[in-house]
């Protein structure tokens, strides 16, 4: 089968690899119809995530058709069209029982600091991902959800990560009616977090980024205010000023390790890897939120340390809430929202690229070429 | 912040998921205390362990399922085995893993050449996307690359060659 093959920082290619096999009675093999490149894949692509091994296949956002099932899979059958959540969860450990499906204890041996994620390094379990024609999907009765009649592949693939992560960012923010929400990062997750903040009754939604084309997109798609921090002397002062000098009720970090905007953070976090990514967005979020406010983090950072003003968290009485999205928990609600036209995920897709051109797609997304917001990869076998 | 006066009717779905009881305590409100009992759940059947699976020393076992993408091998594998002797709390875990990743890149190049494949770096780096959408940026990058290579060649060439090349250039 064709599969993306990681060769080193900023080097990927398409190669032939063996079709995956059932290795556990609860496995399924899924033929991929759509897979996305996620902003967090860029952390792997740039070589910033420890234990990213050469030869791995990335991709944690994919949908497809069940090709084969293990002897202990009862809820799926061959031919089912499925949304596969990005996290791999057993459904029965203490954490899955709390609906913390992103924190399963029976799917990742290699780190306790993170649950298992498809195609996201050996630190996240060492599973091959969905930027391929076929994927092995463990615990097939737990995560995969049958795509409802009438929902198309493009909407479905964004329900594997982008929509749940954006929604959970807003949910974790504990938004109350009338709250001012400031979101740092106008990538797909930030745009979705802005859209979902309204669903929780936000009174004002502001998104801050440095790419004008993304801000323009956010302004239209999320119906929010959008500002370029390159035009500001200091984004924290900007937020204070625009909130009558109080600070935002809620700040959301939707950027994570690749953040721009602070030279020290960029050099130590992205160039020298002395910290687990550049924590500029988180830094701004902590300093922009009001006293007693909430900071919600869905931006992805590495497993080591980051420079953030933790003293301000204490002294301002800030609550920080963070997690990988619990996709399985959120899917029923979000499928309703998509079917009712409240969330329109596929509008985020700007590029549909054949899987064979995966290297170009990574480059385009990484360098923000051609106003790229969300690239989707389509394997040749998707047309069968 | 209480704000009732504004009209949000133009925003489809405004407030439909508003939850006044959503305080910043998730996931505590769904806690089961199951984890107090340790590994109390009925574990899924173990995926047969047919390859080397490194596991964090912060857990006693291999998880019931595991990924089989790239088992540790070669020099990078040795470094990874060393890293997994230390907890996730230690730099001796994460920094050797980053070193192993870089060593692994060189191993990958050697493996390609051994298999008779010459890696197409231009293609692997996706530069044709630059060719399509950022030609001037690609040209600047190529010019900088050529200048750096030229400078390195000059520095390595030795005084005698440098003078000869300079004289030839002047003669033209």
């Amino acid at each position: 089968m064709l599969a993306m093959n990681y060769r080193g920082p900023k080097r990927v290619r398409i190669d032939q690899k063996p079709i995956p096999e059932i290795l556990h009675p609860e496995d399924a093999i899924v033929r991929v119809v759509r897979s996305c490149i996620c902003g967090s894949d860029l952390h792997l692509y740039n070589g910033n995530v420890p234990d990213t091994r050469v030869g791995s296949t990335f991709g944690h956002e994919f949908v497809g058709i069940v090709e084969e099932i293990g002897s202990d899979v009862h809820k799926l059958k061959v031919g089912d069209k499925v949304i596969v959540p990005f996290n791999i969860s057993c459904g029965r450990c203490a954490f899955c029982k709390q609906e913390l499906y992103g924190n399963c204890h029976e799917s990742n041996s290699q780190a306790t600091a993170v649950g298992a994620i498809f195609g996201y390094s050996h630190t996240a379990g060492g599973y091959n991902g969905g930027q391929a024609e076929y994927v092995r999907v463990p615990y097939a009765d737990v995560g995969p959800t049958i795509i409802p009649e009438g929902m198309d592949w493009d909407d479905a693939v964004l329900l594997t990560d982008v929509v749940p992560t954006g929604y959970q960012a807003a949910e974790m923010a504990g938004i109350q009616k009338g709250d001012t929400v400031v979101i740092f990062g106008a990538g797909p997750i930030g745009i979705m977090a802005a859209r979902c903040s309204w669903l929780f009754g936000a009174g004002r939604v502001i998104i801050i980024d440095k790419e004008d084309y993304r801000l323009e997109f956010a302004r239209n798609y999320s119906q929010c205010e959008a500002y370029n921090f390159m035009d500001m002397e200091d984004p924290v002062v900007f937020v204070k000023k625009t909130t009558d000098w109080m600070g935002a009720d809620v700040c959301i970090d939707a950027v994570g390790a690749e953040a721009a905007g602070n030279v020290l953070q960029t050099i130590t976090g992205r160039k020298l890897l002395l910290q687990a990514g550049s924590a500029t967005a988180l830094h701004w979020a902590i300093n922009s939120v009001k006293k007693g406010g909430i900071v919600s983090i869905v931006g992805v950072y590495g497993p080591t340390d980051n420079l953030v003003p933790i003293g301000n968290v204490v002294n301002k009485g800030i609550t920080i809430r963070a997690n990988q999205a619990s996709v399985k928990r959120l899917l029923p609600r979000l499928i309703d929202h998509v079917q009712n036209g409240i969330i329109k995920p596929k509008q985020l897709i700007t590029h549909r690229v054949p899987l064979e051109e995966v290297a170009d797609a990574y480059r385009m997304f990484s360098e923000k070429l051609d106003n790229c917001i969300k690239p989707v990869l389509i394997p040749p076998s998707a047309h069968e | 912040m209480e704000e009732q006066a504004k009209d949000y009717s133009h925003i489809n779905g405004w407030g439909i998921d508003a939850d006044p009881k959503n305080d910043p305590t998730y996931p505590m409100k769904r806690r089961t205390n199951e984890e107090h009992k340790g590994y109390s759940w009925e574990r899924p059947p173990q995926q047969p362990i047919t390859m080397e699976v490194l596991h964090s020393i912060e857990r006693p076992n291999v998880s019931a399922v595991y990924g089989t993408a790239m088992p540790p091998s070669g020099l990078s594998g040795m470094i990874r085995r060393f890293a997994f002797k230390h907890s996730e709390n230690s730099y001796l875990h994460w920094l050797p893993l980053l070193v192993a990743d870089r060593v692994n890149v060189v191993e990958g190049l050697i493996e390609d050449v051994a298999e008779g494949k010459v890696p197409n770096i231009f293609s692997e780096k996706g530069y044709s996307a630059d060719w399509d959408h950022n030609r001037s940026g690609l040209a600047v990058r190529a010019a900088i690359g050529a200048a750096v290579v030229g400078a390195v060649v000059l520095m390595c060439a030795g005084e005698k060659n440098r003078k000869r090349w300079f004289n030839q250039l002047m003669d033209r």
Side-chain angles (χ1 to χ4, degrees):
Chain A
M1 67 163 183
L2 289 177
M4 174 269 199
N5 185 340
Y6 171 73
R7 305 309 299 170
K10 296 184 192 290
R11 281 178 51 219
V12 300
R13 70 182 182 218
I14 196 78
D15 266 338
Q16 285 288 339
K17 282 188 165 191
I19 292 177
E21 294 172 3
I22 300 279
L23 299 175
H24 184 273
E26 297 175 35
D27 282 357
I29 304 298
V30 169
R31 174 161 62 87
V32 177
V33 174
R34 295 282 187 281
S35 66
C36 297
I37 301 176
C38 176
S40 60
D41 284 331
L42 299 181
H43 310 327
L44 299 169
Y45 178 69
N46 290 329
N48 294 347
V49 179
D51 218 356
T52 302
R53 301 182 191 172
V54 168
S56 302
T57 296
F58 301 165
H60 55 270
E61 300 180 1
F62 62 94
V63 288
I65 298 170
V66 177
E67 282 282 312
E68 192 184 350
I69 52 172
S71 57
D72 225 356
V73 175
H74 305 291
K75 293 181 185 166
L76 293 182
K77 59 182 189 307
V78 171
D80 281 344
K81 297 174 178 177
V82 286
I83 295 166
V84 183
F86 74 86
N87 18 53
I88 300 169
S89 41
C90 73
R92 66 204 90 170
C93 71
F95 306 105
C96 285
K97 280 184 185 165
Q98 291 180 66
E99 297 187 300
L100 294 168
Y101 295 108
N103 310 98
C104 174
H105 210 60
E106 288 289 9
S107 47
N108 181 7
S109 300
Q110 285 157 82
T112 57
V114 59
I117 299 172
F118 287 100
Y120 208 80
S121 83
H122 277 258
T123 293
Y127 297 89
N128 277 319
Q131 290 162 12
E133 291 188 284
Y134 296 89
V135 189
R136 170 193 167 219
V137 176
Y139 301 129
D141 270 345
V142 180
T145 299
I146 292 178
I147 299 175
E149 200 68 37
M151 180 180 287
D152 70 24
W153 292 113
D154 286 349
D155 276 331
V157 74
L158 294 178
L159 283 166
T160 60
D161 181 353
V162 173
V163 182
T165 300
Y167 185 91
Q168 187 167 317
E171 182 194 48
M172 288 190 300
I175 297 166
Q176 299 296 302
K177 280 192 173 172
D179 275 357
T180 295
V181 179
V182 173
I183 294 143
F184 292 99
I189 300 291
I191 291 168
M192 190 54 66
R195 175 72 190 98
C196 292
S197 293
W198 294 120
L199 306 187
F200 290 92
R204 192 175 172 200
V205 179
I206 297 168
I207 199 162
I208 294 176
D209 197 286
K210 77 175 175 68
E211 298 294 338
D212 281 328
Y213 78 93
R214 290 187 168 197
L215 291 166
E216 185 57 28
F217 187 96
R219 212 171 273 130
N220 294 323
Y221 181 88
S222 308
Q223 296 169 280
C224 63
E225 297 168 51
Y227 301 103
N228 193 325
F229 67 75
M230 302 295 279
D231 300 334
M232 302 168 187
E233 235 172 79
D234 183 332
V236 172
V237 175
F238 171 83
V239 172
K240 291 282 170 66
K241 203 170 174 181
T242 195
T243 54
D244 282 339
W245 303 100
M246 287 291 109
D249 299 285
V250 161
C251 285
I252 295 174
D253 170 5
V255 182
E258 303 289 335
N262 178 301
V263 175
L264 177 69
Q265 290 276 1
T266 301
I267 291 173
T268 57
R270 289 168 59 189
K271 305 296 179 197
L272 301 177
L273 301 185
L274 294 176
Q275 49 168 334
S278 158
T280 304
L282 181 54
H283 196 116
W284 288 348
I286 290 168
N287 286 343
S288 300
V289 80
K290 72 177 184 186
K291 292 170 185 171
I294 298 172
V295 171
S296 167
I297 312 172
V298 287
V300 172
Y301 293 92
T304 53
D305 305 320
N306 281 100
L307 287 169
V308 290
I310 200 72
N312 296 355
V313 175
V314 178
N315 296 330
K316 289 170 74 176
I318 295 167
T319 299
I320 292 183
R321 300 171 88 184
N323 206 345
Q324 297 282 355
S326 183
V327 179
K328 180 182 163 59
R329 174 175 69 82
L330 296 169
L331 268 181
R333 182 73 175 151
L334 296 175
I335 286 173
D336 276 354
H337 283 341
V338 173
Q339 289 187 308
N340 294 331
I342 289 168
I343 298 176
K344 296 173 179 168
K346 69 180 172 193
Q347 289 181 3
L348 291 172
I349 298 172
T350 50
H351 292 76
R352 290 172 178 80
V353 182
L355 176 64
E356 296 92 316
E357 295 170 22
V358 65
D360 296 349
Y362 264 93
R363 178 80 188 169
M364 184 168 56
F365 190 41
S366 163
E367 298 300 311
K368 301 182 178 72
L369 302 177
D370 198 30
N371 291 349
C372 184
I373 289 177
K374 189 70 179 173
V376 170
L377 300 167
I378 305 176
S381 51
H383 305 295
E384 284 168 14
Chain B
M1 186 197 283
E2 199 61 38
E3 189 152 338
Q4 302 296 344
K6 279 192 177 172
D7 178 14
Y8 297 102
S9 59
H10 63 291
I11 294 172
N12 187 12
W14 184 83
I16 58 171
D17 288 339
D19 177 7
K21 289 183 187 158
N22 180 16
D23 60 33
T25 53
Y26 181 82
M28 300 301 280
K29 64 184 173 188
R30 288 189 176 85
R31 66 187 290 169
T32 60
N33 290 344
E34 191 99 8
E35 69 278 11
H36 294 172
K37 301 173 208 151
Y39 276 78
S40 56
W41 59 89
E42 193 183 330
R43 297 193 68 203
Q46 178 67 51
Q47 176 183 337
I49 299 176
T50 55
M51 58 176 58
E52 184 180 4
V53 185
L54 298 171
H55 77 81
S56 166
I57 62 167
E58 294 182 36
R59 58 178 298 141
N61 51 23
V62 170
S63 51
V65 300
Y66 59 88
T68 56
M70 299 305 296
S73 65
L75 177 60
S76 64
M78 289 166 66
I79 301 169
R80 294 188 209 283
R81 286 180 202 107
F82 168 82
F84 273 85
K85 288 183 179 152
H86 300 89
S87 85
E88 296 163 59
N89 185 44
S90 168
Y91 281 111
L92 284 173
H93 181 74
W94 299 112
L95 296 184
L97 285 175
L98 282 170
V99 172
D101 291 347
R102 299 301 178 262
V103 170
N104 202 192
V105 173
V106 179
E107 290 172 333
L109 287 168
I110 294 169
E111 187 186 277
D112 275 346
V113 172
E115 287 173 5
K117 261 188 248 170
V118 179
N120 183 342
I121 303 290
F122 187 90
S123 158
E124 289 178 356
K125 283 186 167 283
Y127 282 144
S128 45
D130 285 80
W131 181 253
D132 290 339
H133 305 296
N134 183 27
R135 224 168 268 190
S136 56
L138 186 65
V140 168
R141 202 170 290 117
I144 292 171
V148 169
V149 169
V152 170
V153 168
L154 268 179
M155 281 166 65
C156 298
E159 189 65 23
K160 206 173 160 186
N161 281 336
R162 268 202 300 271
K163 273 185 184 157
R164 186 160 53 84
W165 291 341
F166 182 75
N167 290 336
Q168 281 173 356
L169 201 67
M170 289 297 108
D171 289 345
R172 277 182 210 168

